[in-house]
Amino acid sequence: SKFTKIESHLILDIISELGDGIDVDWLEIATKLNEKLYPSRQHRRTPWQCFKHYQSTLKKTALPWSSDEDELFIKYLAAHGPQFLLQGDGLAQTNGKLFPHRNPNKVSIRTYTTLLNPNYVHDWWTKDEERKLALLMRAYSESDGTLPLKYASQAAHFPRRAQALVSVKWSRSICPEMQQKKCGDKLRHDETEKGGAC
């Protein structure tokens, strides 16, 4: 039968508890899972079922980050600095020590595209930053035209801003298409009431 969310979380918890996401004893994992969820011998999971579920589902699709994981990650980033993950095997060390059951790419994405990084600022954008983003978008659009926002929002250009927030800033307040749409909506609204221009 299909694995439940509770079973999936528990398997990952047990793997984390054992301290290694690669070389694990699947018999021990299945035993612990069955002891916690199925004390009576009905519907027990075999080591092969646990292994197959982990390889086919859990390893590929990341489960939501818990508040405990986020707290641990923030403290770790504050202590070592997010740049640590870019130095040599920093990402591998972080992944192995803190999140052995998570994909290293997901850990990297969690650092650089979310608000978890303690070095990110969340205050108002300056005119210079807005101008820089507009120029970067223009430059990347004219160069090859593929995913300009992805390149313009990289940490190299805005090291103190979360990549996700750079994208939001562009799409909600700077993007010329959005400005034209807002202007058109306002003009139609003004004309309906008393006339006017954007």
Side-chain angles (χ1 to χ4, degrees), residues 119-188:
N119 289 336
Y120 288 154
V121 294
H122 308 288
D123 50 5
W124 293 101
W125 282 62
T126 64
K127 290 291 180 190
D128 287 342
E129 285 179 312
E130 290 178 350
R131 191 176 300 112
K132 180 180 180 180
L133 179 55
L135 290 172
L136 284 166
M137 285 298 293
R138 184 173 185 176
Y140 283 118
S141 296
E142 289 175 355
S143 61
D144 64 359
T146 57
L147 303 172
L149 187 55
K150 177 184 175 185
Y151 297 114
S153 62
Q154 286 179 346
H157 298 304
F158 296 99
R160 307 280 291 161
R161 300 276 183 192
Q163 192 172 8
L165 288 185
V166 176
S167 299
V168 168
K169 178 65 178 176
W170 170 257
S171 58
R172 292 196 181 165
S173 67
I174 301 176
C175 177
E177 287 84 4
M178 287 302 294
Q179 291 300 326
Q180 286 175 359
K181 183 181 182 309
K182 284 179 190 173
C183 184
D185 291 345
K186 185 176 186 302
L187 184 61
R188 280 190 293 278

Side-chain angles (χ1 to χ4, degrees), residues 52 65 72 84 92 95 102 105 107 136 152 171 179 186-187:
K52 192 174 174 186
W65 288 70
L72 176 64
F84 174 72
N95 209 62
R102 291 200 178 273
N105 288 336
V107 175
L136 284 166
S171 58
Q179 291 300 326
K186 185 176 186 302
L187 184 61

Side-chain angles (χ1 to χ4, degrees), residues 53-140:
H53 178 61
Y54 177 77
Q55 290 293 332
S56 64
T57 309
L58 300 182
K59 208 170 177 183
K60 293 179 184 176
T61 59
L63 293 168
W65 288 70
S66 70
S67 56
D68 289 340
E69 284 179 311
D70 280 344
E71 184 180 348
L72 176 64
F73 203 20
I74 288 171
K75 288 178 180 175
Y76 192 80
L77 287 171
H80 294 279
Q83 70 280 358
F84 174 72
L85 297 186
L86 296 174
Q87 297 170 357
D89 61 347
L91 180 59
Q93 285 181 28
T94 304
N95 209 62
K97 287 178 184 174
L98 302 181
F99 313 110
H101 60 279
R102 291 200 178 273
N103 183 318
N105 288 336
K106 299 291 183 188
V107 175
S108 180
I109 288 168
R110 190 75 177 163
T111 309
Y112 291 103
T113 61
T114 69
L115 305 178
L116 276 179
N117 190 324
N119 289 336
Y120 288 154
V121 294
H122 308 288
D123 50 5
W124 293 101
W125 282 62
T126 64
K127 290 291 180 190
D128 287 342
E129 285 179 312
E130 290 178 350
R131 191 176 300 112
K132 180 180 180 180
L133 179 55
L135 290 172
L136 284 166
M137 285 298 293
R138 184 173 185 176
Y140 283 118

